[in-house]
Amino acid sequence: MKNLYLLLIITLLLLVGCKDPQFSDIQKVDAYAHEIKLPPPFSSQFAEYSTMCSFGDNLMIIPQYPHLLGEDGIPGRALVISKNLISKYVADKSEIPINVDVYDFMGIKILEEIEFYEGFEAVATDGKNFYFAIETGGEQPSTYAIKATLVDGAKKLEFEKDSLTKLETPITLNNASYESLVLYKNRLFFGYEGNGANINPNPYMLSTDLNFKNHKKVNMQNLEYRLTDFTSVNSKGEIYAINYHWVGDTKKYKPIDDQITGTDYSQIGLERFIPMKFKSGRLVPDPKRPYLSIPYKGRNWEGVEYLDDGIIAVTDKHPNSILMYFYEESDM
């Protein structure tokens, strides 16, 4: 009988240990911020930045429409900044425009031929190969994936036409697609924009191999409001995700009370960065780290990445092109 009781206790402990953490387990911390000013024309709201990633010692910030930074003979461009330069900029509390570079996007004309093409939304990279999510509109919004390779010795990416692949989305929602993308253990994980309980009761991330094949639907928990980007994954399997709500989207996303705080943000708006981690090949909430809370100012954060002991994020054209470093007070 004692052995039976012991077996039951061990089984219960294992079941508790296997239970996924919940978003409600995550605590809040107020984030501090320092803006990194961009020089013209990159500071224009019409750059409409949409995502970002680290590669080597650099940070690449990608416009939704790279052709807007292109010129004769160059189909499109992305903004590139040295991460060391950004770190120094933040440490010095600089307020002058930072020095930037551009990388050419070669072979993207094929994207503009896609019906209802609406630009770049997400990126992941291993430092050599880059994987992108491309949004389309119309009555049936969808996502295409495409691969590009960094050209050795040149500041450019060559896009592979033959890699272009249409992806199935969990639901059909106007002006919504896979807005987040992370590379983990040679698998790509595409995160859909709308995962609220009223619009997407069975949310999942779409996982593919590096050729956008062998699709798997990886279940995730409901999360209200928009999910607009992931950082890359760190050595501990951790990421941060942008969770944003503009009050004008309330009718579209039909949010219930927030899973983290229990608050209704539908009429007051929300800007924050949520910690998540990989557990058994799925992204789940990470209660060992706090979420970074910032005041709501209607800033549509579309790209995020790790930098030093904080994160760096960029907006699209609403309300302007803003590049900002966020950190906890103890980190500075």
PDB file of all heavy atoms in Angstrom, residues 51-62 79-81 83 105 122-127 129-132 157 181 229-232 303-306 312 314:
ATOM      1  N   THR A  51       9.710  44.698 -39.291  1.00  0.00           N
ATOM      2  CA  THR A  51      10.323  43.610 -38.533  1.00  0.00           C
ATOM      3  C   THR A  51      11.824  43.852 -38.457  1.00  0.00           C
ATOM      4  O   THR A  51      12.352  44.757 -39.120  1.00  0.00           O
ATOM      5  CB  THR A  51      10.015  42.244 -39.189  1.00  0.00           C
ATOM      6  OG1 THR A  51      10.495  41.185 -38.353  1.00  0.00           O
ATOM      7  CG2 THR A  51      10.645  42.133 -40.566  1.00  0.00           C
ATOM      8  N   MET A  52      12.522  43.055 -37.657  1.00  0.00           N
ATOM      9  CA  MET A  52      13.975  43.214 -37.530  1.00  0.00           C
ATOM     10  C   MET A  52      14.607  41.899 -37.083  1.00  0.00           C
ATOM     11  O   MET A  52      13.932  40.989 -36.577  1.00  0.00           O
ATOM     12  CB  MET A  52      14.332  44.325 -36.534  1.00  0.00           C
ATOM     13  CG  MET A  52      13.893  44.065 -35.116  1.00  0.00           C
ATOM     14  SD  MET A  52      14.587  45.265 -33.932  1.00  0.00           S
ATOM     15  CE  MET A  52      13.856  46.787 -34.484  1.00  0.00           C
ATOM     16  N   CYS A  53      15.942  41.812 -37.273  1.00  0.00           N
ATOM     17  CA  CYS A  53      16.681  40.634 -36.823  1.00  0.00           C
ATOM     18  C   CYS A  53      18.146  40.988 -36.632  1.00  0.00           C
ATOM     19  O   CYS A  53      18.645  41.980 -37.171  1.00  0.00           O
ATOM     20  CB  CYS A  53      16.553  39.487 -37.827  1.00  0.00           C
ATOM     21  SG  CYS A  53      17.306  39.825 -39.441  1.00  0.00           S
ATOM     22  N   SER A  54      18.837  40.183 -35.846  1.00  0.00           N
ATOM     23  CA  SER A  54      20.287  40.302 -35.668  1.00  0.00           C
ATOM     24  C   SER A  54      20.994  39.356 -36.613  1.00  0.00           C
ATOM     25  O   SER A  54      20.532  38.239 -36.850  1.00  0.00           O
ATOM     26  CB  SER A  54      20.676  39.950 -34.233  1.00  0.00           C
ATOM     27  OG  SER A  54      20.172  40.880 -33.320  1.00  0.00           O
ATOM     28  N   PHE A  55      22.129  39.797 -37.166  1.00  0.00           N
ATOM     29  CA  PHE A  55      23.013  38.896 -37.890  1.00  0.00           C
ATOM     30  C   PHE A  55      24.432  39.397 -37.676  1.00  0.00           C
ATOM     31  O   PHE A  55      24.739  40.554 -37.936  1.00  0.00           O
ATOM     32  CB  PHE A  55      22.645  38.795 -39.370  1.00  0.00           C
ATOM     33  CG  PHE A  55      22.908  40.042 -40.174  1.00  0.00           C
ATOM     34  CD1 PHE A  55      23.999  40.122 -41.033  1.00  0.00           C
ATOM     35  CD2 PHE A  55      22.074  41.143 -40.066  1.00  0.00           C
ATOM     36  CE1 PHE A  55      24.240  41.270 -41.775  1.00  0.00           C
ATOM     37  CE2 PHE A  55      22.304  42.286 -40.807  1.00  0.00           C
ATOM     38  CZ  PHE A  55      23.392  42.349 -41.663  1.00  0.00           C
ATOM     39  N   GLY A  56      25.277  38.521 -37.154  1.00  0.00           N
ATOM     40  CA  GLY A  56      26.627  38.945 -36.802  1.00  0.00           C
ATOM     41  C   GLY A  56      26.566  40.073 -35.785  1.00  0.00           C
ATOM     42  O   GLY A  56      25.840  40.001 -34.788  1.00  0.00           O
ATOM     43  N   ASP A  57      27.306  41.141 -36.038  1.00  0.00           N
ATOM     44  CA  ASP A  57      27.333  42.295 -35.144  1.00  0.00           C
ATOM     45  C   ASP A  57      26.357  43.379 -35.565  1.00  0.00           C
ATOM     46  O   ASP A  57      26.480  44.538 -35.143  1.00  0.00           O
ATOM     47  CB  ASP A  57      28.756  42.882 -35.088  1.00  0.00           C
ATOM     48  CG  ASP A  57      29.751  41.905 -34.486  1.00  0.00           C
ATOM     49  OD1 ASP A  57      29.354  41.145 -33.576  1.00  0.00           O
ATOM     50  OD2 ASP A  57      30.913  41.890 -34.935  1.00  0.00           O
ATOM     51  N   ASN A  58      25.386  43.020 -36.401  1.00  0.00           N
ATOM     52  CA  ASN A  58      24.488  44.014 -36.968  1.00  0.00           C
ATOM     53  C   ASN A  58      23.034  43.743 -36.645  1.00  0.00           C
ATOM     54  O   ASN A  58      22.629  42.611 -36.354  1.00  0.00           O
ATOM     55  CB  ASN A  58      24.649  44.062 -38.497  1.00  0.00           C
ATOM     56  CG  ASN A  58      26.039  44.464 -38.918  1.00  0.00           C
ATOM     57  OD1 ASN A  58      26.506  45.539 -38.570  1.00  0.00           O
ATOM     58  ND2 ASN A  58      26.707  43.595 -39.673  1.00  0.00           N
ATOM     59  N   LEU A  59      22.255  44.809 -36.729  1.00  0.00           N
ATOM     60  CA  LEU A  59      20.811  44.733 -36.620  1.00  0.00           C
ATOM     61  C   LEU A  59      20.221  45.182 -37.944  1.00  0.00           C
ATOM     62  O   LEU A  59      20.538  46.260 -38.444  1.00  0.00           O
ATOM     63  CB  LEU A  59      20.321  45.653 -35.499  1.00  0.00           C
ATOM     64  CG  LEU A  59      18.815  45.666 -35.243  1.00  0.00           C
ATOM     65  CD1 LEU A  59      18.392  44.385 -34.523  1.00  0.00           C
ATOM     66  CD2 LEU A  59      18.430  46.889 -34.412  1.00  0.00           C
ATOM     67  N   MET A  60      19.368  44.340 -38.537  1.00  0.00           N
ATOM     68  CA  MET A  60      18.695  44.692 -39.781  1.00  0.00           C
ATOM     69  C   MET A  60      17.247  45.059 -39.482  1.00  0.00           C
ATOM     70  O   MET A  60      16.532  44.302 -38.837  1.00  0.00           O
ATOM     71  CB  MET A  60      18.743  43.530 -40.773  1.00  0.00           C
ATOM     72  CG  MET A  60      18.041  43.838 -42.101  1.00  0.00           C
ATOM     73  SD  MET A  60      18.135  42.464 -43.297  1.00  0.00           S
ATOM     74  CE  MET A  60      19.874  42.555 -43.760  1.00  0.00           C
ATOM     75  N   ILE A  61      16.836  46.229 -39.947  1.00  0.00           N
ATOM     76  CA  ILE A  61      15.470  46.719 -39.758  1.00  0.00           C
ATOM     77  C   ILE A  61      14.816  46.794 -41.132  1.00  0.00           C
ATOM     78  O   ILE A  61      15.302  47.493 -42.025  1.00  0.00           O
ATOM     79  CB  ILE A  61      15.475  48.092 -39.078  1.00  0.00           C
ATOM     80  CG1 ILE A  61      16.311  48.045 -37.785  1.00  0.00           C
ATOM     81  CG2 ILE A  61      14.050  48.534 -38.762  1.00  0.00           C
ATOM     82  CD1 ILE A  61      16.526  49.401 -37.148  1.00  0.00           C
ATOM     83  N   ILE A  62      13.721  46.082 -41.298  1.00  0.00           N
ATOM     84  CA  ILE A  62      13.168  45.847 -42.639  1.00  0.00           C
ATOM     85  C   ILE A  62      11.857  46.610 -42.819  1.00  0.00           C
ATOM     86  O   ILE A  62      10.919  46.470 -42.021  1.00  0.00           O
ATOM     87  CB  ILE A  62      12.943  44.340 -42.831  1.00  0.00           C
ATOM     88  CG1 ILE A  62      14.280  43.605 -42.714  1.00  0.00           C
ATOM     89  CG2 ILE A  62      12.293  44.057 -44.184  1.00  0.00           C
ATOM     90  CD1 ILE A  62      14.156  42.140 -42.457  1.00  0.00           C
ATOM     91  N   LEU A  79      17.434  48.697 -43.727  1.00  0.00           N
ATOM     92  CA  LEU A  79      18.317  49.508 -42.885  1.00  0.00           C
ATOM     93  C   LEU A  79      19.151  48.590 -42.012  1.00  0.00           C
ATOM     94  O   LEU A  79      18.641  47.628 -41.434  1.00  0.00           O
ATOM     95  CB  LEU A  79      17.455  50.426 -42.026  1.00  0.00           C
ATOM     96  CG  LEU A  79      18.131  51.434 -41.115  1.00  0.00           C
ATOM     97  CD1 LEU A  79      18.929  52.433 -41.930  1.00  0.00           C
ATOM     98  CD2 LEU A  79      17.074  52.154 -40.280  1.00  0.00           C
ATOM     99  N   VAL A  80      20.468  48.867 -41.893  1.00  0.00           N
ATOM    100  CA  VAL A  80      21.362  48.061 -41.064  1.00  0.00           C
ATOM    101  C   VAL A  80      22.163  48.987 -40.150  1.00  0.00           C
ATOM    102  O   VAL A  80      22.693  50.005 -40.592  1.00  0.00           O
ATOM    103  CB  VAL A  80      22.320  47.208 -41.931  1.00  0.00           C
ATOM    104  CG1 VAL A  80      23.365  46.522 -41.067  1.00  0.00           C
ATOM    105  CG2 VAL A  80      21.529  46.170 -42.719  1.00  0.00           C
ATOM    106  N   ILE A  81      22.234  48.623 -38.860  1.00  0.00           N
ATOM    107  CA  ILE A  81      22.966  49.412 -37.868  1.00  0.00           C
ATOM    108  C   ILE A  81      23.840  48.474 -37.049  1.00  0.00           C
ATOM    109  O   ILE A  81      23.418  47.377 -36.661  1.00  0.00           O
ATOM    110  CB  ILE A  81      22.017  50.172 -36.924  1.00  0.00           C
ATOM    111  CG1 ILE A  81      20.934  50.920 -37.706  1.00  0.00           C
ATOM    112  CG2 ILE A  81      22.793  51.157 -36.059  1.00  0.00           C
ATOM    113  CD1 ILE A  81      19.898  51.599 -36.830  1.00  0.00           C
ATOM    114  N   LYS A  83      25.318  46.825 -33.936  1.00  0.00           N
ATOM    115  CA  LYS A  83      24.816  46.665 -32.573  1.00  0.00           C
ATOM    116  C   LYS A  83      25.770  47.299 -31.559  1.00  0.00           C
ATOM    117  O   LYS A  83      25.321  47.837 -30.533  1.00  0.00           O
ATOM    118  CB  LYS A  83      24.604  45.184 -32.263  1.00  0.00           C
ATOM    119  CG  LYS A  83      23.427  44.584 -33.012  1.00  0.00           C
ATOM    120  CD  LYS A  83      23.064  43.204 -32.507  1.00  0.00           C
ATOM    121  CE  LYS A  83      24.096  42.177 -32.851  1.00  0.00           C
ATOM    122  NZ  LYS A  83      23.688  40.811 -32.456  1.00  0.00           N
ATOM    123  N   PHE A 105      18.256  44.466 -51.369  1.00  0.00           N
ATOM    124  CA  PHE A 105      17.400  43.292 -51.504  1.00  0.00           C
ATOM    125  C   PHE A 105      17.249  43.012 -52.993  1.00  0.00           C
ATOM    126  O   PHE A 105      16.510  43.719 -53.698  1.00  0.00           O
ATOM    127  CB  PHE A 105      16.027  43.552 -50.886  1.00  0.00           C
ATOM    128  CG  PHE A 105      15.950  43.318 -49.396  1.00  0.00           C
ATOM    129  CD1 PHE A 105      17.091  43.270 -48.620  1.00  0.00           C
ATOM    130  CD2 PHE A 105      14.727  43.141 -48.770  1.00  0.00           C
ATOM    131  CE1 PHE A 105      17.030  43.052 -47.251  1.00  0.00           C
ATOM    132  CE2 PHE A 105      14.641  42.915 -47.408  1.00  0.00           C
ATOM    133  CZ  PHE A 105      15.797  42.868 -46.649  1.00  0.00           C
ATOM    134  N   ALA A 122       7.642  39.594 -41.292  1.00  0.00           N
ATOM    135  CA  ALA A 122       8.438  38.927 -40.265  1.00  0.00           C
ATOM    136  C   ALA A 122       9.696  38.337 -40.886  1.00  0.00           C
ATOM    137  O   ALA A 122       9.750  38.061 -42.085  1.00  0.00           O
ATOM    138  CB  ALA A 122       7.627  37.828 -39.578  1.00  0.00           C
ATOM    139  N   VAL A 123      10.710  38.124 -40.027  1.00  0.00           N
ATOM    140  CA  VAL A 123      11.987  37.582 -40.488  1.00  0.00           C
ATOM    141  C   VAL A 123      12.627  36.748 -39.387  1.00  0.00           C
ATOM    142  O   VAL A 123      12.433  36.997 -38.193  1.00  0.00           O
ATOM    143  CB  VAL A 123      12.947  38.724 -40.915  1.00  0.00           C
ATOM    144  CG1 VAL A 123      13.299  39.618 -39.731  1.00  0.00           C
ATOM    145  CG2 VAL A 123      14.214  38.177 -41.552  1.00  0.00           C
ATOM    146  N   ALA A 124      13.380  35.729 -39.800  1.00  0.00           N
ATOM    147  CA  ALA A 124      14.248  34.968 -38.912  1.00  0.00           C
ATOM    148  C   ALA A 124      15.511  34.634 -39.701  1.00  0.00           C
ATOM    149  O   ALA A 124      15.472  34.540 -40.937  1.00  0.00           O
ATOM    150  CB  ALA A 124      13.574  33.686 -38.417  1.00  0.00           C
ATOM    151  N   THR A 125      16.620  34.469 -39.017  1.00  0.00           N
ATOM    152  CA  THR A 125      17.869  34.199 -39.725  1.00  0.00           C
ATOM    153  C   THR A 125      18.813  33.365 -38.882  1.00  0.00           C
ATOM    154  O   THR A 125      18.760  33.400 -37.643  1.00  0.00           O
ATOM    155  CB  THR A 125      18.568  35.525 -40.118  1.00  0.00           C
ATOM    156  OG1 THR A 125      19.763  35.237 -40.841  1.00  0.00           O
ATOM    157  CG2 THR A 125      18.928  36.354 -38.886  1.00  0.00           C
ATOM    158  N   ASP A 126      19.694  32.625 -39.568  1.00  0.00           N
ATOM    159  CA  ASP A 126      20.790  31.938 -38.897  1.00  0.00           C
ATOM    160  C   ASP A 126      22.102  32.696 -39.117  1.00  0.00           C
ATOM    161  O   ASP A 126      23.178  32.207 -38.786  1.00  0.00           O
ATOM    162  CB  ASP A 126      20.925  30.495 -39.391  1.00  0.00           C
ATOM    163  CG  ASP A 126      21.139  30.411 -40.904  1.00  0.00           C
ATOM    164  OD1 ASP A 126      21.444  31.436 -41.543  1.00  0.00           O
ATOM    165  OD2 ASP A 126      20.996  29.299 -41.453  1.00  0.00           O
ATOM    166  N   GLY A 127      21.996  33.898 -39.679  1.00  0.00           N
ATOM    167  CA  GLY A 127      23.166  34.729 -39.943  1.00  0.00           C
ATOM    168  C   GLY A 127      23.615  34.694 -41.391  1.00  0.00           C
ATOM    169  O   GLY A 127      24.272  35.618 -41.864  1.00  0.00           O
ATOM    170  N   ASN A 129      21.391  32.627 -43.938  1.00  0.00           N
ATOM    171  CA  ASN A 129      20.117  32.499 -44.623  1.00  0.00           C
ATOM    172  C   ASN A 129      19.043  33.280 -43.871  1.00  0.00           C
ATOM    173  O   ASN A 129      18.996  33.255 -42.642  1.00  0.00           O
ATOM    174  CB  ASN A 129      19.711  31.028 -44.720  1.00  0.00           C
ATOM    175  CG  ASN A 129      20.730  30.207 -45.490  1.00  0.00           C
ATOM    176  OD1 ASN A 129      21.032  30.504 -46.636  1.00  0.00           O
ATOM    177  ND2 ASN A 129      21.276  29.183 -44.852  1.00  0.00           N
ATOM    178  N   PHE A 130      18.194  33.948 -44.635  1.00  0.00           N
ATOM    179  CA  PHE A 130      17.122  34.749 -44.064  1.00  0.00           C
ATOM    180  C   PHE A 130      15.789  34.203 -44.543  1.00  0.00           C
ATOM    181  O   PHE A 130      15.628  33.877 -45.727  1.00  0.00           O
ATOM    182  CB  PHE A 130      17.270  36.218 -44.488  1.00  0.00           C
ATOM    183  CG  PHE A 130      18.460  36.919 -43.883  1.00  0.00           C
ATOM    184  CD1 PHE A 130      19.749  36.612 -44.289  1.00  0.00           C
ATOM    185  CD2 PHE A 130      18.280  37.884 -42.901  1.00  0.00           C
ATOM    186  CE1 PHE A 130      20.840  37.257 -43.738  1.00  0.00           C
ATOM    187  CE2 PHE A 130      19.373  38.536 -42.349  1.00  0.00           C
ATOM    188  CZ  PHE A 130      20.658  38.228 -42.765  1.00  0.00           C
ATOM    189  N   TYR A 131      14.819  34.129 -43.634  1.00  0.00           N
ATOM    190  CA  TYR A 131      13.505  33.576 -43.932  1.00  0.00           C
ATOM    191  C   TYR A 131      12.459  34.653 -43.631  1.00  0.00           C
ATOM    192  O   TYR A 131      12.442  35.230 -42.540  1.00  0.00           O
ATOM    193  CB  TYR A 131      13.259  32.330 -43.089  1.00  0.00           C
ATOM    194  CG  TYR A 131      14.383  31.320 -43.196  1.00  0.00           C
ATOM    195  CD1 TYR A 131      15.467  31.354 -42.309  1.00  0.00           C
ATOM    196  CD2 TYR A 131      14.388  30.360 -44.200  1.00  0.00           C
ATOM    197  CE1 TYR A 131      16.519  30.454 -42.426  1.00  0.00           C
ATOM    198  CE2 TYR A 131      15.432  29.447 -44.317  1.00  0.00           C
ATOM    199  CZ  TYR A 131      16.499  29.509 -43.431  1.00  0.00           C
ATOM    200  OH  TYR A 131      17.548  28.621 -43.548  1.00  0.00           O
ATOM    201  N   PHE A 132      11.584  34.906 -44.584  1.00  0.00           N
ATOM    202  CA  PHE A 132      10.656  36.024 -44.482  1.00  0.00           C
ATOM    203  C   PHE A 132       9.210  35.553 -44.602  1.00  0.00           C
ATOM    204  O   PHE A 132       8.906  34.605 -45.316  1.00  0.00           O
ATOM    205  CB  PHE A 132      10.918  37.036 -45.599  1.00  0.00           C
ATOM    206  CG  PHE A 132      12.260  37.706 -45.518  1.00  0.00           C
ATOM    207  CD1 PHE A 132      13.360  37.162 -46.191  1.00  0.00           C
ATOM    208  CD2 PHE A 132      12.440  38.871 -44.789  1.00  0.00           C
ATOM    209  CE1 PHE A 132      14.599  37.770 -46.130  1.00  0.00           C
ATOM    210  CE2 PHE A 132      13.678  39.484 -44.726  1.00  0.00           C
ATOM    211  CZ  PHE A 132      14.764  38.943 -45.397  1.00  0.00           C
ATOM    212  N   LEU A 157      21.286  40.870 -50.060  1.00  0.00           N
ATOM    213  CA  LEU A 157      20.638  39.577 -49.959  1.00  0.00           C
ATOM    214  C   LEU A 157      20.065  39.213 -51.323  1.00  0.00           C
ATOM    215  O   LEU A 157      19.456  40.054 -51.992  1.00  0.00           O
ATOM    216  CB  LEU A 157      19.493  39.606 -48.939  1.00  0.00           C
ATOM    217  CG  LEU A 157      19.812  39.318 -47.469  1.00  0.00           C
ATOM    218  CD1 LEU A 157      20.751  40.366 -46.913  1.00  0.00           C
ATOM    219  CD2 LEU A 157      18.526  39.261 -46.645  1.00  0.00           C
ATOM    220  N   LEU A 181       7.956  35.468 -36.505  1.00  0.00           N
ATOM    221  CA  LEU A 181       8.701  34.313 -37.021  1.00  0.00           C
ATOM    222  C   LEU A 181       9.956  34.118 -36.188  1.00  0.00           C
ATOM    223  O   LEU A 181      10.679  35.081 -35.899  1.00  0.00           O
ATOM    224  CB  LEU A 181       9.062  34.545 -38.486  1.00  0.00           C
ATOM    225  CG  LEU A 181       9.886  33.488 -39.213  1.00  0.00           C
ATOM    226  CD1 LEU A 181       9.199  32.134 -39.185  1.00  0.00           C
ATOM    227  CD2 LEU A 181      10.127  33.924 -40.652  1.00  0.00           C
ATOM    228  N   ASP A 229       5.411  40.556 -33.366  1.00  0.00           N
ATOM    229  CA  ASP A 229       6.777  40.129 -33.707  1.00  0.00           C
ATOM    230  C   ASP A 229       7.387  39.350 -32.553  1.00  0.00           C
ATOM    231  O   ASP A 229       6.968  39.492 -31.394  1.00  0.00           O
ATOM    232  CB  ASP A 229       7.667  41.332 -34.040  1.00  0.00           C
ATOM    233  CG  ASP A 229       8.859  40.949 -34.933  1.00  0.00           C
ATOM    234  OD1 ASP A 229       8.753  39.937 -35.658  1.00  0.00           O
ATOM    235  OD2 ASP A 229       9.895  41.631 -34.913  1.00  0.00           O
ATOM    236  N   PHE A 230       8.383  38.502 -32.887  1.00  0.00           N
ATOM    237  CA  PHE A 230       9.208  37.795 -31.907  1.00  0.00           C
ATOM    238  C   PHE A 230      10.645  38.284 -32.012  1.00  0.00           C
ATOM    239  O   PHE A 230      11.109  38.632 -33.104  1.00  0.00           O
ATOM    240  CB  PHE A 230       9.250  36.281 -32.196  1.00  0.00           C
ATOM    241  CG  PHE A 230       7.946  35.551 -32.063  1.00  0.00           C
ATOM    242  CD1 PHE A 230       7.666  34.484 -32.910  1.00  0.00           C
ATOM    243  CD2 PHE A 230       7.020  35.894 -31.096  1.00  0.00           C
ATOM    244  CE1 PHE A 230       6.482  33.778 -32.803  1.00  0.00           C
ATOM    245  CE2 PHE A 230       5.826  35.194 -30.979  1.00  0.00           C
ATOM    246  CZ  PHE A 230       5.558  34.131 -31.830  1.00  0.00           C
ATOM    247  N   THR A 231      11.346  38.269 -30.884  1.00  0.00           N
ATOM    248  CA  THR A 231      12.802  38.357 -30.951  1.00  0.00           C
ATOM    249  C   THR A 231      13.327  37.033 -31.490  1.00  0.00           C
ATOM    250  O   THR A 231      12.579  36.064 -31.647  1.00  0.00           O
ATOM    251  CB  THR A 231      13.418  38.574 -29.554  1.00  0.00           C
ATOM    252  OG1 THR A 231      13.118  37.426 -28.734  1.00  0.00           O
ATOM    253  CG2 THR A 231      12.897  39.839 -28.888  1.00  0.00           C
ATOM    254  N   SER A 232      14.611  36.971 -31.762  1.00  0.00           N
ATOM    255  CA  SER A 232      15.242  35.674 -31.996  1.00  0.00           C
ATOM    256  C   SER A 232      15.246  34.907 -30.673  1.00  0.00           C
ATOM    257  O   SER A 232      14.995  35.470 -29.603  1.00  0.00           O
ATOM    258  CB  SER A 232      16.668  35.859 -32.519  1.00  0.00           C
ATOM    259  OG  SER A 232      17.428  36.606 -31.577  1.00  0.00           O
ATOM    260  N   GLY A 303       8.462  45.489 -34.837  1.00  0.00           N
ATOM    261  CA  GLY A 303       9.682  44.695 -34.856  1.00  0.00           C
ATOM    262  C   GLY A 303      10.366  44.732 -33.504  1.00  0.00           C
ATOM    263  O   GLY A 303      10.373  45.774 -32.836  1.00  0.00           O
ATOM    264  N   VAL A 304      10.961  43.611 -33.079  1.00  0.00           N
ATOM    265  CA  VAL A 304      11.632  43.557 -31.780  1.00  0.00           C
ATOM    266  C   VAL A 304      12.796  42.581 -31.850  1.00  0.00           C
ATOM    267  O   VAL A 304      12.763  41.590 -32.590  1.00  0.00           O
ATOM    268  CB  VAL A 304      10.638  43.151 -30.660  1.00  0.00           C
ATOM    269  CG1 VAL A 304      10.151  41.713 -30.835  1.00  0.00           C
ATOM    270  CG2 VAL A 304      11.252  43.352 -29.278  1.00  0.00           C
ATOM    271  N   GLU A 305      13.848  42.861 -31.092  1.00  0.00           N
ATOM    272  CA  GLU A 305      15.021  41.984 -31.036  1.00  0.00           C
ATOM    273  C   GLU A 305      15.753  42.205 -29.713  1.00  0.00           C
ATOM    274  O   GLU A 305      15.650  43.267 -29.089  1.00  0.00           O
ATOM    275  CB  GLU A 305      15.953  42.268 -32.220  1.00  0.00           C
ATOM    276  CG  GLU A 305      17.187  41.375 -32.318  1.00  0.00           C
ATOM    277  CD  GLU A 305      16.882  39.890 -32.376  1.00  0.00           C
ATOM    278  OE1 GLU A 305      16.434  39.347 -31.335  1.00  0.00           O
ATOM    279  OE2 GLU A 305      17.122  39.266 -33.423  1.00  0.00           O
ATOM    280  N   TYR A 306      16.466  41.162 -29.275  1.00  0.00           N
ATOM    281  CA  TYR A 306      17.330  41.291 -28.108  1.00  0.00           C
ATOM    282  C   TYR A 306      18.489  42.238 -28.413  1.00  0.00           C
ATOM    283  O   TYR A 306      19.008  42.275 -29.526  1.00  0.00           O
ATOM    284  CB  TYR A 306      17.938  39.940 -27.728  1.00  0.00           C
ATOM    285  CG  TYR A 306      17.018  39.009 -26.967  1.00  0.00           C
ATOM    286  CD1 TYR A 306      16.603  37.804 -27.522  1.00  0.00           C
ATOM    287  CD2 TYR A 306      16.584  39.314 -25.682  1.00  0.00           C
ATOM    288  CE1 TYR A 306      15.781  36.938 -26.833  1.00  0.00           C
ATOM    289  CE2 TYR A 306      15.764  38.460 -24.980  1.00  0.00           C
ATOM    290  CZ  TYR A 306      15.367  37.270 -25.551  1.00  0.00           C
ATOM    291  OH  TYR A 306      14.551  36.414 -24.854  1.00  0.00           O
ATOM    292  N   ILE A 312      15.269  45.920 -28.241  1.00  0.00           N
ATOM    293  CA  ILE A 312      15.121  47.080 -29.104  1.00  0.00           C
ATOM    294  C   ILE A 312      13.909  46.837 -29.993  1.00  0.00           C
ATOM    295  O   ILE A 312      13.683  45.709 -30.454  1.00  0.00           O
ATOM    296  CB  ILE A 312      16.400  47.325 -29.925  1.00  0.00           C
ATOM    297  CG1 ILE A 312      16.321  48.663 -30.673  1.00  0.00           C
ATOM    298  CG2 ILE A 312      16.719  46.169 -30.859  1.00  0.00           C
ATOM    299  CD1 ILE A 312      17.658  49.102 -31.244  1.00  0.00           C
ATOM    300  N   VAL A 314      10.901  48.647 -32.942  1.00  0.00           N
ATOM    301  CA  VAL A 314      10.656  49.674 -33.952  1.00  0.00           C
ATOM    302  C   VAL A 314       9.162  49.701 -34.301  1.00  0.00           C
ATOM    303  O   VAL A 314       8.492  48.658 -34.287  1.00  0.00           O
ATOM    304  CB  VAL A 314      11.505  49.431 -35.220  1.00  0.00           C
ATOM    305  CG1 VAL A 314      11.032  48.200 -35.986  1.00  0.00           C
ATOM    306  CG2 VAL A 314      11.558  50.651 -36.115  1.00  0.00           C
TER     307      VAL A 314
END
